[in-house]
């Protein structure tokens, strides 16, 4: 059983996303973390590398050097995992793609849509080699929901409602770190940090594309430098309507990502905080809760019904797909550069609409 | 124990709302239905009156005559209950108010805001004698929610989300009857039929007034003559934002009225389909479900904790308040003409904003 | 529309069960309370009668006199409703049955099974005229559950679990009044007060008869004179097993009556605190919540789907059945004397088994 | 960062428990699987070892040889993980403990309590080196529940209810494999397979010891050779009562392990299928859902609030404790030989009581 050698940029031990990615890698059993650029400074970089069991020779402090050196090795990394603050995503990705190394990058791609478009044009030929970490599309029941919609279980969709609510920025003393600094997190604030997840989820499950939107974008906690709450009316390619509400100041909400689709035949609901089930409701008054792992579900998963899978298992599913991809197989559900671009277009259109008092605004294709 | 004599206009036996009102009256034990104008035609009116045990002499086929006759009797009705289609609400109410008889009227008041404004100007002196049946404000836990918000349990409100979802108009062969005919139900469609309930609920519990809105108003089932789904961005007097989503084609939803308020200190949720509890959530990860009838609740109710109260009990609470009012007592929570006017302003502003592609539109005070 | 004249024994205004019965009567619109024996003392009896609008001539202080007087009137009561403490149930019922007046009586029938057996033998010919208030069998979705089981939706039943949990006797200073006094409430304590409801529910829905049981019967709050918590292993006529757990000291529980049936094909769950739905679960991982009033449900109910019915509506359904019975129609689901006897046998067998360290004990047929 | 070298006996790739253990090991990042006895036959053993990346020299077909060989190596395994059928647990464990290698073993320990007692006497000095995989005690919120009980949040406990329900043996064609064969799974059937988990959970969280029990033990599917459903009355050291219900034929249940504790001050509920929250209920009608990862929780966990942890994370917590233990630290919550013995005593007492028609039976200390 070959393990794919991978490197990580950003994400020193103890950082939330670094640890999350490493556990997801480990869950798959198909990867080996062998290189890293975990800090720009030598001592912390070496310490972090040591803590992760890396060879000091493959503990870098410069990602460009890392890309070149790994590309030159016969045992060089097969994948570069980017878990830096948002402003570094594209520069780092560019270095590795240039060196011919596929990339798995956190969202959102960039600080502005212009940056993202330039990048996408430049790397158009490698668009399939750039994976974007829309984690929630890795949940088995999200994929099952997509399948059900695709197979017509809901009939034609009429209304798509997605909301992603957190409260960690709602306290008087909350410190959003680089996420709340427009220079490192982007001007989108909550739109980039979690709104892109919600937007991808809505398009991923519905199979539709949002064409225009009308946004209300707010800083409900006035001291915040970037939006912390936004609600956005959506219109989709098939004339379905919808709404995306995102907030990081919704007191009482942990990580409440919820998707509801209403079709002619049935409605469907999925909640990230109870990810192992879907609810399918019909006009005869039945609401059927379908459990992951049961024989009524076609999407495969790791654990049997009733043995909860969680966030790491969703993440691991993205990595398992990535391993398939590296092995030359197909991975049609894996988000790539084009999906990352959609998120960037979404942020841009929402900010623009919000600044224009909710004027309906086209998403560039 | 005196029972207040009341009359009903519309609502023959077997009609949904007529039966609902009669059961609510009965639950209070404080009213006696003694007169009615249950049809405009003599035979069905008499049959209906007989079925309800009315004296044939007080079974009318003309509401103007009824108003005059009952006003002239020493044992005349103390209250006229109007459960006709929407287009008749104001003509009937006018007849009774003119005759000096208080009115309890179904919502929405009128077919257009102009009609409602003329009416409101004409009967400005009797505004407190016209009660509007915003049923959901009669639930004990809705009143408890209002109390909690007023007492500061949530802190300053930031975001108010209300949705009211049904699916009975979503089927290919659904027949909305007079509700879908703009001549009898009004041009507002779902905005008038259920949106006014949701709007009142949001203002009733929050204690805030919505000042401007931006609406998306749709006919998701194309053959419908009036809107069947609308989503409306709201801004409130204290700068709180919010959304009201109303649909009668949301497949899988029975009567899913749900209110969520997010304040600086806590969030609060109430669901009409599980009306006996409130959920209060805080940023420390606790979501407390508070049961009606428990000692943690200050709002009184009929039945002990764990013995479900439902829709009729909510309605009966409006009637119990009405009996208080008739007895010369205060009933500060009871919706009156001014509250009915708010609903009418809401419909108008939403339709206007929707027609102008979501332009932010003022609600007239 | 004829209203059946009824009288009430016990249940002065303000008493829990008296008010509950009167509201349920009112909800049906088919009864008129015209006589009462609301106290054994003249002044309170007259005051209570006046508060309820009774003719003073039909306000009695002696139930035997009431039975005779009402039987002698041409407009005498059609039904005597008994809401006294438990020790009075049978003496009062005997007076009215002797006078030829049907009875609706609260459970449990008696203080001891011997009393109940003597009564049942004496009134064997009138067994169908004595209705026992097993309220919970009046919920629409309980009846739907019974129908589903009967129609084979679950397949052969294997295991039946019922629990009825309250906590109002669990506090240091709780005062159970006559319920905790064996002379007025009986030696069964919680077994009689709520256990009989649970036992009836299990047999009513399953369509099976419990043949033997093994009980653990406790006073978990030592100062209580009668049992406050018991758990009882059950074996049914078809070899199904089961358990009945009843507690009035289960801290945190309001009126948590819950029934679960497990059959070869499906499981079914009903919770009294959310009475408008049933959950049917299958081995393929689907749990279908079926809403009262939806087209997937065959049992009729008062209100449409999504408009909650509660405890009073369940009670009213028993009274609607009673009106059918008085009108000469069938009321096959209405509990009668034989069902009351089952409850008494259950209490007796459970106490006996408990006293014998859980020895398996036959229920007398 | 040192990784502890471990070996596995049983659990070839594709087996449920083998994969579960390997993913849990991987999640911790603190172990390295370097040796295995994955089959008794050479070819499958080597293939399995190769699939797991084991050195062929450390791929064994005889566990005794493996124990000796690994003990002799300077880089030998620090832990032997036993995931064989039940009949092999103790023979394998004995080989490794004799060789001085600590063991982590699946439950139940043995086929009979006699075997287990002999083993426990023989290895009394190494009782702390034998860890038993009571997985569910690894959930963060189970540990938080234990802490809350210990800190007095519930007051003195009165009633403890635990149930563990599955349905995978309920179908006509279900094949329980070695679990249903008394020679490999033991005579306890569901008592050993899942009842021991439930029993440990009840004692672990309550901090009490069950002293006597009265059991009903059944084969509800007659063709089963061992019990598939049992319900057991419990009495605890502080006079609390309780019940343990276990079934593998409860149609509609996936892996429904649920614990409820009722104390003088509050009730507490935990459900394995929604493991990230606890519900604490009080007599004032409040039921507080406490979320893992929130600041209201003292027990640490891997992921922030709202990012679901599941079954693998619970298992990983046992392994993280094991790593602590191997590193010379304390791991007071980790189940050891004594806890495994309790499970064996429980099976024995339940079978004995069941055979004696529910006679109350002492658990040997």
């Amino acid at each position: 059983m070959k393990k794919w050698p991978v490197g990580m940029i950003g994400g020193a031990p103890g950082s939330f996303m670094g640890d999350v990615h490493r556990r997801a890698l480990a869950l798959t059993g198909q990867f080996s973390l062998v290189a890293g650029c975990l800090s720009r400074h030598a001592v912390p970089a070496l310490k972090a590398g040591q803590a992760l069991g890396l060879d000091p020779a493959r503990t870098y402090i410069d990602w460009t050097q890392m890309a070149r050196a790994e590309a030159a090795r016969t045992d060089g990394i097969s994948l570069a995992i980017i878990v830096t603050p948002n402003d570094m995503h594209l520069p780092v990705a560019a270095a590795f793609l240039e060196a011919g190394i596929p990339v798995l990058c956190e969202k959102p791609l960039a600080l502005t849509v212009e940056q993202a478009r330039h990048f996408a044009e430049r790397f158009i030929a490698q668009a399939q080699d750039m994976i974007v970490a829309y984690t929630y599309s890795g949940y088995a029941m999200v994929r099952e929901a997509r399948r059900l919609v695709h197979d017509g279980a809901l009939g034609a969709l009429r209304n798509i409602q997605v909301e992603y609510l957190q409260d960690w920025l709602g306290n008087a003393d909350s410190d959003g770190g680089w996420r709340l600094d427009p220079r490192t997190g982007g001007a989108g604030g909550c739109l980039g940090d979690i709104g892109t997840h919600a937007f991808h989820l809505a398009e991923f499950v519905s199979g539709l594309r949002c064409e225009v939107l009308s946004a209300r974008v707010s800083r409900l906690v006035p001291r915040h430098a970037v939006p912390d709450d936004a609600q956005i009316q959506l219109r989709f390619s098939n004339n379905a309507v919808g709404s995306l509400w995102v907030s990081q100041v919704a007191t009482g909400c942990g990580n409440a990502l919820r998707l509801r689709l209403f079709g002619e035949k049935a409605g469907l609901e999925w909640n990230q905080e109870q990810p192992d089930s879907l609810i399918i409701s019909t006009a005869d008054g039945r609401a059927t809760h379908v459990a992951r792992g049961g024989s009524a579900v076609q999407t495969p998963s790791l654990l049997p019904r009733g043995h909860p899978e969680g966030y790491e298992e969703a993440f691991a599913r993205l990595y398992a797909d990535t391993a398939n991809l590296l092995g030359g197989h197909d991975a049609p559900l894996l988000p790539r550069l084009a999906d990352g671009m959609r998120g960037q277009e979404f942020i841009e259109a929402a900010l623009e609409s919000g600044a224009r008092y909710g004027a309906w605004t086209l998403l560039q294709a």
Side-chain angles (χ1 to χ4, degrees), chain A:
Chain A
M1 188 192 59
K2 185 185 175 200
K3 292 202 178 192
W4 299 99
V6 300
M8 193 173 283
I9 301 91
S15 76
F16 171 38
M17 289 311 297
D19 288 344
V20 159
H21 278 261
R22 280 184 289 271
R23 284 191 294 257
L25 287 166
L27 268 179
T28 66
Q30 298 179 278
F31 295 92
S32 178
L33 181 65
V34 297
C37 177
L38 305 158
S39 168
R40 302 194 200 185
H41 304 287
V43 174
L46 280 166
K47 281 192 178 168
Q50 192 176 20
L52 296 173
L54 303 186
D55 178 351
R58 299 176 83 175
T59 305
Y60 305 88
I61 57 172
D62 178 312
W63 68 76
T64 311
Q65 183 197 352
M66 175 177 170
R68 287 185 196 141
E70 290 293 326
R73 296 178 69 112
T74 53
D75 65 348
I77 60 174
S78 301
L79 181 74
I81 298 167
I82 305 175
V83 288
T84 63
N86 299 347
D87 58 324
M88 311 288 288
H89 289 170
L90 290 192
V92 177
F96 284 92
L97 289 180
E98 274 199 348
I101 298 174
V103 160
L104 188 151
C105 184
E106 270 296 329
K107 42 36 59 188
L109 289 190
L111 297 192
T112 69
V113 76
E114 284 76 22
Q115 291 173 2
R117 284 183 192 147
H118 289 151
F119 180 89
E121 283 169 21
R122 182 172 160 203
F123 292 103
I124 193 164
Q126 287 163 277
Q128 297 304 305
D129 286 341
M130 175 140 172
I131 299 154
V132 179
Y134 287 130
T135 323
Y136 301 105
S137 64
Y139 276 110
M141 294 311 275
V142 166
R143 294 184 170 195
E144 179 73 1
R146 176 186 161 100
R147 185 191 69 75
L148 286 165
V149 172
H150 183 267
D151 289 358
L154 308 193
L157 294 178
R158 288 171 175 165
N159 200 321
I160 297 168
Q161 299 274 328
V162 62
E163 58 188 40
Y164 194 159
L165 311 179
Q166 300 180 333
D167 65 6
W168 65 290
L169 292 178
N171 294 328
D173 57 352
S174 60
D175 174 10
W178 61 260
R179 283 178 172 81
L180 287 185
D181 183 336
R183 293 166 301 180
T184 45
C190 64
L191 291 166
D193 198 32
I194 60 176
T196 45
H197 278 302
F199 186 77
H200 183 258
L201 185 69
E203 290 198 339
F204 180 81
V205 173
S206 71
L208 300 175
R209 286 172 78 83
C210 174
E211 295 187 333
V212 288
L213 57 75
S214 161
R216 185 271 303 157
V217 179
S218 305
R219 292 179 294 117
L220 294 183
V221 173
R223 67 179 162 72
H224 286 162
V226 290
D228 52 23
D229 186 297
Q231 191 152 5
I232 302 166
Q233 308 253 20
L234 309 173
R235 285 183 185 275
F236 289 87
S237 36
N238 75 336
N239 288 322
V241 297
S243 164
L244 183 153
W245 173 34
V246 56
S247 182
Q248 295 185 303
V249 297
T251 310
C253 297
N255 196 41
L257 172 59
R258 186 165 74 122
L259 176 69
R260 291 181 287 174
L261 306 173
F262 297 87
E264 290 186 354
K265 293 163 57 181
L268 182 151
E269 176 170 345
W270 179 78
N271 286 287
Q272 190 270 155
E273 294 190 348
Q274 296 184 4
D276 267 354
S277 73
L278 280 184
I279 308 173
I280 298 170
S281 302
T282 44
D284 62 358
R286 290 183 299 158
T288 300
H289 297 235
V290 183
R292 185 195 51 71
S295 63
V297 171
Q298 294 184 20
T299 303
S301 55
L302 289 173
L303 291 168
R305 168 175 163 239
H307 297 74
E309 287 188 13
Y311 180 77
E312 290 288 6
E313 283 76 12
F315 229 123
R317 196 164 281 112
L318 294 192
Y319 274 113
D321 280 356
T322 300
N324 279 342
L325 200 71
L326 296 176
H329 301 290
D330 200 14
L333 301 183
L334 200 54
R336 310 295 174 81
L337 180 53
D339 301 286
M341 282 304 302
R342 288 293 292 167
Q344 212 67 46
E345 302 280 359
F346 161 75
I347 299 170
E348 186 78 4
L351 288 175
E352 185 184 328
S353 173
R356 294 171 56 218
Y357 300 102
W360 284 93
T361 302
L362 277 170
L363 269 86
Q364 303 300 321

